[in-house]
Amino acid sequence: MDDNDFRPAQRSPLIQRAPMASPTAHARPGKPDARPMRLAIFAGGIAVSSALAAAIIRPARPAVVVPAVDTQPETPVATGTPIVVQQPIQYIQLLPGQTAPPGATVIDPDAPKPTAIVATVQAPAARPPARKPIIIRTTQSGKVIP
């Protein structure tokens, strides 16, 4: 068999065609093996589903509240703003025969308890009615239109 049996005749004598190669010389290589990548994707899917299941099933931990530490000095800052410190009120019930320490306020347990506290709040001052805005119409040259 000649090389020219499988293709048409040459059209121009000036253009030389290369001889055809054998079919085995240009064989396509095989496809890469997909099994390792499939195994990696499967393992990743298992890990992700495990993490999601653990996040859904396990209850959330309560937030940890860290007590604030006062790092400011006891004297007022140079800006002149006073620092207000509220001391907690500690109530102590004295046993018969005990006396209150000096400077302590003594509350009589038989005194009537306050039932309501009335606070008077002033109403805000009445506002004047809003004025209607004044619209000045002009032409493109700046002439005022009456």
Side-chain angles (χ1 to χ4, degrees):
M1 265 188 171
D2 191 3
D3 195 25
N4 292 330
D5 290 343
F6 298 106
R7 58 182 169 177
Q10 195 167 346
R11 294 188 181 179
S12 171
L14 300 175
I15 300 173
Q16 295 291 328
R17 288 192 174 184
M20 284 184 64
S22 66
T24 58
H26 291 291
R28 298 176 87 189
K31 293 181 181 179
D33 189 14
R35 284 179 287 172
M37 196 62 188
R38 287 180 185 161
L39 183 63
I41 290 174
F42 176 74
I46 295 274
V48 167
S49 62
S50 171
L52 284 173
I56 291 171
I57 294 171
R58 184 178 56 173
R61 284 192 246 162
V64 178
V65 179
V66 179
V69 178
D70 187 18
T71 59
Q72 295 189 4
E74 295 296 325
T75 59
V77 186
T79 58
T81 57
I83 296 176
V84 178
V85 179
Q86 285 188 331
Q87 296 292 333
I89 299 173
Q90 187 176 19
Y91 294 99
I92 299 173
Q93 188 170 3
L94 299 174
L95 297 174
Q98 288 183 328
T99 58
T105 306
V106 179
I107 302 172
D108 185 19
D110 298 331
K113 307 280 187 266
T115 56
I117 298 173
V118 179
T120 307
V121 179
Q122 293 181 351
R127 291 185 179 177
R131 295 189 325 185
K132 189 174 180 182
I134 300 172
I135 300 173
I136 300 174
R137 295 178 26 201
T138 60
T139 60
Q140 189 174 3
S141 63
K143 192 184 267 186
V144 177
I145 300 175

